Amino acid sequence: MALPMVHLLMAWEWAQDKPELRENPDYYLGAVSPDAIHVRDGNDKSHKNEIHLNNWRRPDPDAVLRYWIDHHAPFDIGYGIHVLLDGQWAVEFRARFPEMLLPNGKPDPDIYYNDTCVTDFRLYAESPLRPFLMDMVAKGHAPADHPLLTQTEFEGWRADTIGFYQRPCPKDNPVKYLDESYVREFMNTCGDLMTLTYERMKTMNATQKSILDRRSTRGFSDVTLTEAEIQTLVDAALASPTACNYQDWHFNFVTDKALLKEYSDEYRAGMLAQLDGDNKEKYKKYDLFFNAPLVVFITLPKDPRSRFAQVDAGIAVQNLALSAQGMGLGSVILGRPKEVLCAENRAQWEKRLGFMEGHCFAIAIAIGHNTVTKDAHPIGENKISFVK
């Protein structure tokens, strides 16, 4: 990807209206530091996308935003600026210079590495900012508790970066494509995504953070919820909006572990009866509620007043999910409990779960202290349209 002077010049240019960053050494050290993975892996690039927050081959601003939510010191802002530049760089030069690409879609290494290296050395030699930028990198402090790289790796890369320009340029062929004018043109456009992502981080609030951080949890500890936690969830459920304020829904808060186990056992028995072989073995110990200490069953009248009652139930279960997340709890929204409530023991279960007379299952949610976690799910392309 882009070499250090491109990153440093872009970091300087982007920080001109940000006095908290403009002369901060940690920020500039961060702006070259994602490539410290080379201290660990050398020329092996198998971890580079991970270290670059999924921005090595294409921009992923949401990944940078998630990183910045939890890590937003000046070093981290520089780190994010680096990877956002690289993601755009990878897309831009491929689109601009297809003749530089091999049949497999990768850049011709002889051309690419010559162009980037020669151009970067020219930027270093000709930029009046060189003394300032190198001084910033030399004075910067790397964090000891970075989630992806060690302080030793950061220090090693700082030394490599400064020493890189103390030697003759390792390439000397004429530049064919990625010259200084191309770099300047690229820098004039790539800052917009950095600014948008940074502004999203700066305007982040607790609710938005809960939305972005929440994952479906399929593993809960045995720790029960406190009365205060349950009451907070009750408040969130009852505060959810409904069409015309009809409030057709009803919430059944079930904490009886024996009852939930019996319900799950019945569900599992029905499921296993339809499976065979490996699938049957896989689900022999399946717990429908994943050991959650609380399951909320949301029900609706068989003939609700509102034609939007199902939508209202969906809104309510999301209120519960976000309230749980805000309290540091995990949750998973469940539709599968309906299968037991469509079977022969339906009436018995409706009574045991406390369903109101004439009500039927809409949706459920299991809530508790999570014991497992996972990455955010990938977002499908073309899911958003703008009409202006």
Side-chain angles (χ1 to χ4, degrees):
M1 295 296 101
L3 294 187
M5 278 303 294
V6 176
H7 285 291
L8 290 170
L9 288 169
M10 187 67 231
W12 179 85
E13 189 167 305
W14 184 77
Q16 288 311 292
D17 61 349
K18 301 170 184 66
E20 71 278 15
L21 299 175
R22 189 171 55 234
E23 297 184 12
N24 189 300
D26 296 356
Y27 164 69
Y28 290 97
L29 179 59
V32 297
S33 285
D35 288 332
I37 186 59
H38 293 303
V39 174
R40 181 191 308 172
D41 290 350
N43 289 326
D44 177 3
K45 299 179 181 179
S46 58
H47 297 111
K48 196 156 186 179
N49 191 48
E50 173 194 358
I51 300 303
H52 278 63
L53 307 176
N54 199 41
N55 280 261
W56 187 33
R57 296 180 178 88
R58 63 187 61 84
D60 186 351
D62 288 344
V64 176
L65 179 62
R66 289 191 293 270
Y67 169 81
W68 275 348
I69 289 171
D70 295 320
H71 306 88
H72 44 262
F75 177 94
D76 301 303
I77 301 305
Y79 194 103
I81 292 305
H82 176 113
V83 302
L84 284 171
L85 185 150
D86 270 350
Q88 295 177 87
W89 178 273
V91 171
E92 181 63 26
F93 82 76
R94 282 176 168 83
R96 180 75 174 272
F97 303 115
E99 60 272 29
M100 187 169 48
L101 306 181
L102 299 173
N104 62 8
K106 295 182 179 181
D108 184 319
D110 292 334
I111 298 174
Y112 180 80
Y113 290 114
N114 180 82
D115 280 12
T116 53
C117 194
V118 171
T119 297
D120 211 63
F121 265 75
R122 286 177 181 169
L123 291 171
Y124 176 83
E126 297 171 4
S127 174
L129 288 168
R130 179 187 69 196
F132 168 78
L133 295 174
M134 291 297 114
D135 184 56
M136 291 291 100
V137 171
K139 291 178 177 178
H141 293 90
D145 58 349
H146 193 268
L148 297 170
L149 292 160
T150 70
Q151 194 171 43
T152 299
E153 288 164 344
F154 289 133
E155 295 295 345
W157 186 247
R158 181 219 309 270
D160 286 352
T161 298
I162 294 173
F164 180 59
Y165 299 105
Q166 307 309 311
R167 300 182 293 272
C169 179
K171 305 289 183 180
D172 58 6
N173 290 329
V175 173
K176 290 186 176 182
Y177 303 106
L178 306 176
D179 58 15
E180 294 163 87
S181 63
Y182 170 78
V183 169
R184 294 296 181 187
E185 184 179 337
F186 169 78
M187 289 171 54
N188 285 337
T189 60
C190 77
D192 290 345
L193 183 61
M194 299 172 183
T195 298
L196 176 60
T197 308
Y198 185 69
E199 289 178 351
R200 289 171 65 195
M201 184 272 290
K202 296 286 278 187
T203 59
M204 185 66 58
N205 55 51
T207 301
Q208 183 74 356
K209 187 176 187 301
S210 289
I211 292 171
L212 294 177
D213 285 349
R214 186 196 167 268
R215 309 284 184 267
S216 292
T217 299
R218 291 180 173 83
F220 297 94
S221 75
D222 291 325
V223 178
T224 59
L225 300 189
T226 66
E227 289 186 19
E229 288 171 330
I230 291 176
Q231 187 57 53
T232 298
L233 293 166
V234 168
D235 294 341
L238 296 177
S240 60
T242 62
C244 299
N245 197 32
Y246 281 143
Q247 301 182 27
D248 285 316
W249 32 238
H250 186 84
F251 302 92
N252 303 273
F253 280 65
V254 182
T255 56
D256 186 329
K257 292 282 285 186
L259 183 65
L260 291 172
K261 181 181 183 305
E262 189 178 340
Y263 192 102
S264 178
D265 289 346
E266 184 164 325
Y267 171 82
R268 185 173 61 252
M271 179 176 65
L272 290 175
Q274 303 174 46
L275 300 174
D276 54 22
D278 292 342
N279 286 331
K280 195 166 206 172
E281 188 66 29
K282 179 180 177 181
Y283 287 101
K284 274 189 175 179
K285 296 183 179 180
Y286 182 77
D287 180 354
L288 177 60
F289 305 117
F290 307 100
N291 195 47
L294 168 68
V295 179
V296 183
F297 290 81
I298 303 177
T299 66
L300 294 169
K302 291 184 173 63
D303 295 306
R305 289 181 294 169
S306 172
R307 69 182 188 272
F308 301 112
Q310 288 285 348
V311 174
D312 294 339
I315 295 170
V317 81
Q318 181 73 345
N319 257 32
L320 284 165
L322 294 179
S323 179
Q325 179 67 29
M327 289 189 284
L329 301 173
S331 66
V332 58
I333 297 170
L334 301 167
R336 286 185 173 187
K338 183 176 183 179
E339 296 183 26
V340 172
L341 294 165
C342 290
E344 57 183 347
N345 292 332
R346 181 192 68 190
Q348 175 189 353
W349 277 114
E350 287 178 347
K351 181 177 180 179
R352 295 182 71 187
L353 292 169
F355 285 15
M356 291 184 68
E357 184 70 28
H359 271 231
C360 57
F361 176 86
I363 195 73
I365 181 170
I367 299 173
H369 296 271
N370 56 303
T371 59
V372 296
T373 187
K374 63 179 185 180
D375 293 334
H377 60 76
I379 303 298
E381 296 181 359
N382 303 320
K383 295 299 182 182
I384 298 291
S385 296
F386 295 95
V387 179
K388 298 182 178 181

